[in-house]
Amino acid sequence: MTTFLGNSPWKFSSYPPGPEGLRSRHLLLSVVGDGGLEMDMLEDLESLQFEYGIREEDRCWLYLQGRSRGLMIKACAHAAFFCKLFRNLRESLHEKQTSKRLSTGSLDDAPDDDALRAGIIGGGRLGQQLAHALLQLVPIPAEGLQISTRRPEALAEFQKLGVQCFYHNSSLVAWANVIFLCCLPSQLPNICVEIQTSLDKACIVYSFVAAVPIPRLKLLLNHTNILRPQYHCGEDFVNIWGANKDITAALQDPAILQATCPYSPAGGIILNVKWLEGVFYAALNLCTAKDMPHAQVLQLLSEQFLSAHFEDCGKDGASCPKFQLLDFVSKAYAKNLLQKR
């Protein structure tokens, strides 16, 4: 809740209570300058900090606050990386198909703009932070993002930016080519019933519902093109994730940015390797949906994923690592795979 004090730039913000059993309230007094920047005037006042009302025997649980923030930052950073990668991949596919049609004189049949269209189901804290990350870090234009939530009136800041916010999950799914599930586990079964008939085969479902594994999601959605990041929190957790900053601001910190690299142990939160495998196969699915021969798919994926050039590759880069067919399919399958398949 935010209350402006008359026409002055001062405001009070109240936050919900701390952990269960602690009824402390954290009041933040800040001043907003002409540029819209906020300065926490009470940052160094110990008696008004979140931790002040916590009993000494309960302070051992404070690390959960940092871990929750670290998980949120990593989740949004990886989703932004995924969207940026797939935006580039879709643009490359569009360019190649347009070039091919130009060479064959069939430009009239060229597909429409194949821009990335991302939809978020759920407008809570995760959904809002994810929306900020996609808009600022990918960046996705406002017209390329839609949010479906039971309370669209609570997303006025996104509507002002031009993001469509409404409550109609099936319409969102029919429009988007990437769907982010940011709902509660208890809401998921009903949402899946609503959207499963509207899901295009090539649409990628990216689930943040940690309690529901991929096999269960496949059954609920009758869909297989699903990504679900899994995070492991180690015993050596170190709270490097900062505080009182939004996620896009936190990712300007070099230490935090480095810790979001997949499989980096920094901070004690590690992403399961299956996520990157899922990204590769989602990319294959996208190319398959465009009827692209597998040799061209491997070349395109090498350009997107293996673009780094190392000194020992040679000056021309011809010896740089490239994806091979057997990196993705078995020998038996590859043996019977036609060149145009």
Side-chain angles (χ1 to χ4, degrees), residues 40-57:
D40 188 351
M41 303 293 290
L42 308 180
E43 184 176 1
D44 297 324
L45 298 181
E46 182 180 348
S47 62
L48 292 175
Q49 300 305 309
F50 173 82
E51 298 84 357
Y52 184 77
I54 299 179
R55 294 175 301 182
E56 192 64 36
E57 59 267 30

Side-chain angles (χ1 to χ4, degrees), residues 310-329:
F310 298 98
E311 293 181 359
D312 56 355
C313 293
K315 292 183 179 181
D316 59 356
S319 57
C320 285
K322 300 287 190 301
F323 281 123
Q324 306 297 322
L325 190 57
L326 294 182
D327 292 332
F328 297 99
V329 299

Side-chain angles (χ1 to χ4, degrees), residues 113-244:
D113 179 37
D114 204 16
L116 181 68
R117 300 187 300 275
I120 299 175
I121 296 180
R125 178 166 173 75
L126 175 58
Q128 291 184 44
Q129 292 282 7
L130 175 62
H132 279 300
L134 297 182
L135 289 170
Q136 298 179 43
L137 300 179
V138 176
I140 292 178
E143 60 272 18
L145 178 65
Q146 294 185 6
I147 305 174
S148 178
T149 173
R150 291 180 297 178
R151 296 184 60 235
E153 68 276 5
L155 303 179
E157 62 171 316
F158 293 105
Q159 295 178 23
K160 290 178 182 177
L161 295 173
V163 177
Q164 290 192 44
C165 304
F166 49 82
Y167 182 36
H168 203 299
N169 295 329
S170 59
S171 294
L172 179 79
V173 168
W175 169 82
N177 41 48
V178 176
I179 296 292
F180 291 96
L181 296 177
C182 300
C183 57
L184 296 173
S186 60
Q187 299 169 340
L188 189 61
N190 288 336
I191 289 174
C192 290
V193 170
E194 291 177 30
I195 69 176
Q196 63 174 236
T197 57
S198 303
L199 269 175
D200 184 82
K201 186 177 181 180
C203 181
I204 300 167
V205 176
Y206 194 114
S207 175
F208 286 112
V209 188
V212 182
I214 285 182
R216 175 65 174 160
L217 271 174
K218 288 180 179 179
L219 291 174
L220 289 171
L221 290 169
N222 192 27
H223 191 71
T224 58
N225 207 2
I226 300 172
L227 272 173
R228 176 178 168 265
Q230 292 178 270
Y231 297 97
H232 170 70
C233 298
E235 296 180 359
D236 55 344
F237 173 79
V238 178
N239 189 5
I240 64 170
W241 306 103
N244 301 327

